[in-house]
């Protein structure tokens, strides 16, 4: 019974952290897309059966699904099934945007993860009270922001360095943490208290942002690579090439 209870707690802790990270990431894409005039048809946290769903006046369907192990936003695209039926009503779908705006939308997800990590680190600084300069004044807020940004930047550098060393064989593959171990680690950290879990969430948020910037198909970095290739070639990458990728 104790093992069952511990397992449920570990899963609940992991899902809570994963949902927060995915929400921050997809919210970044959503805000950037909306700011650039791209209609959003779906904003989903998780996959599988819908637990909660809401459609706003703009036609965006926001959903929370049963498996919160990822998420996505669906933008109106000129070649998408969703957009085809309503293309006459959409003046500016995603595919009609310039490369710079597409890149901004793709980059917004990882940047949102970095910003989320900075907010969590700032909250930790206030909670722990490690800096006498942090107060309620404008100067205190500026000092807090500076410390949080500096720590987030250092975390980004350390994470990027670790990813690079792994890619060149600096770390053995068995040091990678799989999903089951990650669930156990999240539960163990959650048992140590909210502050420790907040710190871990900040670290994972930076990891998610860095990972999504890798030039791998389906990741944001993969999309950025396609846009860069198109800018250099002067024409889009062929549909067949994108499908193979």
């Amino acid at each position: 019974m104790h093992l069952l209870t511990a397992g449920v707690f570990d899963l609940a802790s992991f899902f809570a952290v994963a949902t927060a990270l995915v929400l921050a990431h997809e919210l970044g894409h959503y805000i950037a897309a909306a700011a650039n005039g791209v209609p959003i048809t779906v904003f989903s946290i998780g996959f599988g059966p819908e637990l909660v769903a809401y459609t706003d006046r703009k036609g965006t369907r926001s959903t929370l699904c049963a498996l919160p192990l990822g998420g996505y936003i669906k933008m109106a695209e000129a070649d998408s099934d969703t957009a085809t039926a309503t293309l006459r009503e959409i003046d500016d779908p995603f595919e009609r945007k310039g490369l710079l705006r597409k890149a901004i939308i793709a980059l917004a997800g990882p940047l949102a993860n970095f910003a989320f990590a900075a907010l969590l680190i700032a909250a930790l600084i206030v909670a722990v009270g490690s800096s006498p300069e942090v107060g309620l004044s404008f100067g205190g807020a500026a000092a807090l922001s500076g410390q949080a940004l500096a720590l987030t930047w250092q975390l980004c550098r350390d994470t990027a360095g670790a990813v690079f060393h792994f890619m060149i064989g600096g770390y053995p593959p068995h040091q990678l943490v799989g999903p089951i171990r990650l669930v156990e680690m999240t539960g163990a950290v959650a048992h140590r208290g909210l502050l420790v879990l907040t710190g871990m969430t900040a670290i994972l948020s930076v990891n998610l942002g860095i990972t999504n910037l890798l030039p791998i198909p389906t990741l944001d970095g993969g999309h950025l690579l396609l846009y860069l290739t198109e800018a250099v070639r002067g024409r889009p990458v062929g549909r067949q090439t994108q499908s193979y990728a």
Side-chain angles (χ1 to χ4, degrees), residues 141-220:
L144 172 62
S145 299
Q147 290 180 46
L149 289 175
L151 289 171
T152 303
W153 173 245
Q154 183 61 51
L155 187 56
C156 289
R157 291 179 58 185
D158 293 343
T159 302
V163 171
F164 175 76
H165 279 91
F166 175 78
M167 293 178 66
I168 64 175
Y171 298 129
H174 71 263
Q175 288 189 1
L176 283 176
V177 175
I180 295 178
R181 178 58 182 151
L182 187 57
V183 169
E184 294 174 345
M185 289 173 59
T186 305
V189 170
H191 274 294
R192 297 175 61 185
L194 181 59
L195 291 179
V196 183
L197 183 62
T198 300
M200 179 182 182
T201 304
I203 294 173
L204 291 177
S205 190
V206 168
N207 273 263
L208 181 60
I210 294 293
T211 302
N212 267 277
L213 288 176
L214 295 176
I216 298 174
T218 74
L219 297 182
D220 296 321

Side-chain angles (χ1 to χ4, degrees), residues 10 25 70 92 109 141 156 217-218 220 225 237:
D10 292 351
H25 185 91
D92 221 0
C156 289
T218 74
D220 296 321
L225 180 61
V237 177

Side-chain angles (χ1 to χ4, degrees), residues 48-120:
E50 296 180 354
L51 299 179
V52 180
Y54 170 76
T55 302
D56 62 22
R57 290 179 295 179
K58 296 181 180 180
T60 302
R61 184 173 179 81
S62 301
T63 65
L64 176 63
C65 299
L67 298 175
L69 297 178
Y72 65 94
I73 63 169
K74 184 175 180 60
M75 294 176 284
E77 299 179 358
D79 60 345
S80 68
D81 294 337
T82 303
T84 301
T86 59
L87 191 57
R88 291 185 296 272
E89 303 174 8
I90 299 175
D91 296 325
D92 221 0
F94 178 74
E95 288 295 334
R96 298 179 185 176
K97 295 297 180 181
L99 288 177
L100 179 58
R101 293 197 176 194
K102 289 181 180 180
I104 290 173
I105 294 172
L107 190 60
L111 290 180
N113 280 123
F114 301 147
F116 183 49
L119 287 175
L120 293 177

